[in-house]
Amino acid sequence: MNAEDTAEPMLAITEPAIEKVRGFRAQSEDPESQALWVEVSGVSDGEYVYKISLNELHGARQDDVVQRHGDLAIVVPGSSSATPACTMSSQDPLPTATCDGSTAWRSASAA
């Protein structure tokens, strides 16, 4: 089953970050099928650690949250839906996420 889109965003994402992710996505074989997946992969030093990747949107399950930003879909797996609200921004050259005031991730593998 596929997840349904949510009207209430879990992840705030700035326009420069959206454009950066779209640039990464455009390099894939089938960019229109790709979504940005954001999930908690653990905790380090009292802060959440996130796994950020491009994966096919059709892999989203019923309990996953799908958030849309124009043609960009962001999937937060259901197991990660209790995480704090985050803001994704683009700080050249790498995308950065901030959750509860601290940097949660900054990685070239973000997308």
Side-chain angles (χ1 to χ4, degrees), residues 18-51:
I18 290 171
E19 290 308 313
K20 178 113 17 202
V21 172
R22 284 181 178 142
F24 286 125
R25 186 182 69 169
Q27 298 173 26
S28 69
E29 284 186 30
D30 186 13
E32 298 305 313
S33 71
Q34 301 296 303
L36 178 67
W37 287 65
V38 180
E39 65 183 296
V40 174
S41 63
V43 176
S44 177
D45 295 324
E47 295 184 357
Y48 290 111
V49 177
Y50 292 83
K51 177 182 173 188

Side-chain angles (χ1 to χ4, degrees), residues 19-98:
E19 290 308 313
K20 178 113 17 202
V21 172
R22 284 181 178 142
F24 286 125
R25 186 182 69 169
Q27 298 173 26
S28 69
E29 284 186 30
D30 186 13
E32 298 305 313
S33 71
Q34 301 296 303
L36 178 67
W37 287 65
V38 180
E39 65 183 296
V40 174
S41 63
V43 176
S44 177
D45 295 324
E47 295 184 357
Y48 290 111
V49 177
Y50 292 83
K51 177 182 173 188
I52 310 297
S53 59
L54 283 176
N55 292 308
E56 293 198 5
L57 177 59
H58 73 74
R61 297 177 307 192
Q62 186 69 30
D63 63 337
D64 296 341
V65 174
V66 178
Q67 183 177 317
R68 299 249 181 209
H69 293 273
D71 67 340
L72 177 64
I74 299 173
V75 178
V76 179
S79 60
S80 296
S81 63
T83 62
C86 297
T87 299
M88 182 176 170
S89 61
S90 179
Q91 296 180 348
D92 287 324
L94 306 174
T96 302
T98 304

